[in-house]
Amino acid sequence: MKTSAIDLAKRGFPVFPCIARGKKPITKTGFKEASTDPEQIQTWWTKYRGANLAIATGGGFFVLDIDGPAGKSTLAKLEAQHGALPPTPTVQTANGLHYYFKTQDGQEIRNKQSFQPGLDIRGDGGYVIGPPSIHPTGHEYAWLEGLNLADLELAEAPAWLLEMIVQPKLTPAKAPPARPSAEVNNTQRASKYLANMPAAVQGQGGHNQLFAAATAVRHGFCLSVDEARDLLTREFNPR
């Protein structure tokens, strides 16, 4: 456990100990004491032999927690509707899966309990139990084959997932924030996303569908007000 904790810390994931076969923090303030310092980690797991390994979420990444059959069913329906989640480090838990996603610069994602049936988010102010910790049932948390942090970098969450969990911070149109050059392809990505969205039909939930499309291109793909309006007018409005 100590070796795994140090390896995670070297990759920038702050860790802290929890009770053996449990999720309760051993340290006084839990995730607030999470550290990437090898000496501190060495001290903790020397003192608390057998302690489970917890990873403090937020600060650049969050975890989508799929809990039990209900969560797996919900995810299957969402993926059938919107497309599969991208390959990203994934942990098999006792009852489901943990998907690790990176956040964009300045993006704040907080914990969300049951934002969809069986789906939780662990973000700023939260934590998850990491491999090779042991669940109270005796199940060992484990990275899925080929989907561990040694093999794969964290993927960005798809726009449809971000729409459900991000509380947008509106910026006045007259003073839009500067965006990194890496976002120049967001218009193309948003265009492809719109092409797969159902049309907005009057009398058949069209208002809700249009709102979903506008939210996706404005906040999911970080387009400016003008860019979002032009794209919607040109590519979504005709349908």
Side-chain angles (χ1 to χ4, degrees):
M1 203 74 70
K2 183 194 303 181
T3 300
S4 295
I6 292 175
D7 286 344
L8 283 168
K10 288 179 179 178
R11 294 184 171 92
F13 293 87
V15 300
F16 64 98
C18 284
I19 61 173
R21 294 198 172 206
K23 301 180 181 180
K24 182 179 179 181
I26 291 176
T27 58
K28 186 175 181 180
T29 57
F31 69 87
K32 294 182 179 179
E33 292 182 62
S35 177
T36 57
D37 179 7
E39 292 186 8
Q40 177 62 74
I41 295 168
Q42 181 81 23
T43 298
W44 277 334
W45 269 273
T46 298
K47 182 177 181 180
Y48 306 114
R49 297 183 182 278
N52 267 353
L53 187 167
I55 305 170
T57 52
F61 77 101
F62 70 94
V63 172
L64 170 63
D65 182 1
I66 311 300
D67 190 15
K72 293 178 181 178
S73 175
T74 298
L75 179 60
K77 292 176 182 177
L78 290 172
E79 289 187 312
Q81 181 179 358
H82 301 289
L85 293 174
T88 195
T90 306
V91 171
Q92 177 71 59
T93 69
N95 301 309
L97 297 164
H98 285 167
Y99 291 88
Y100 285 66
F101 291 105
K102 65 181 177 181
T103 54
Q104 299 176 5
D105 290 343
Q107 189 177 59
E108 183 179 39
I109 296 180
R110 296 184 176 275
N111 297 324
K112 284 187 180 293
Q113 191 78 19
S114 298
F115 71 95
Q116 290 280 322
L119 304 187
D120 301 329
I121 292 294
R122 296 290 178 260
D124 293 301
Y127 67 92
V128 292
I129 302 300
S133 298
I134 305 297
H135 189 268
T137 61
H139 173 88
E140 180 178 317
Y141 291 75
W143 298 105
L144 295 187
E145 185 177 356
L147 296 176
N148 61 54
L149 289 172
D151 299 328
L152 195 63
E153 291 187 359
L154 270 61
E156 289 187 5
W160 60 263
L161 176 58
L162 293 176
E163 288 176 44
M164 297 179 182
I165 63 175
V166 174
Q167 181 66 38
K169 296 182 179 180
L170 299 180
T171 303
K174 63 181 180 180
R179 300 197 305 278
S181 59
E183 292 184 8
V184 295
N185 291 324
N186 276 5
T187 300
Q188 295 176 357
R189 294 172 56 225
S191 176
K192 292 180 180 179
Y193 182 84
L194 285 179
N196 293 318
M197 290 194 73
V201 181
Q202 185 176 1
Q204 299 180 25
H207 286 84
N208 290 335
Q209 190 58 44
L210 176 58
F211 180 76
T215 301
V217 298
R218 176 72 178 96
H219 303 297
F221 292 95
C222 301
L223 300 187
S224 70
V225 171
D226 288 340
E227 289 170 332
R229 181 176 59 243
D230 291 346
L231 186 64
L232 288 166
T233 301
R234 185 175 66 251
E235 301 190 18
F236 188 70
N237 194 54
R239 296 194 289 122

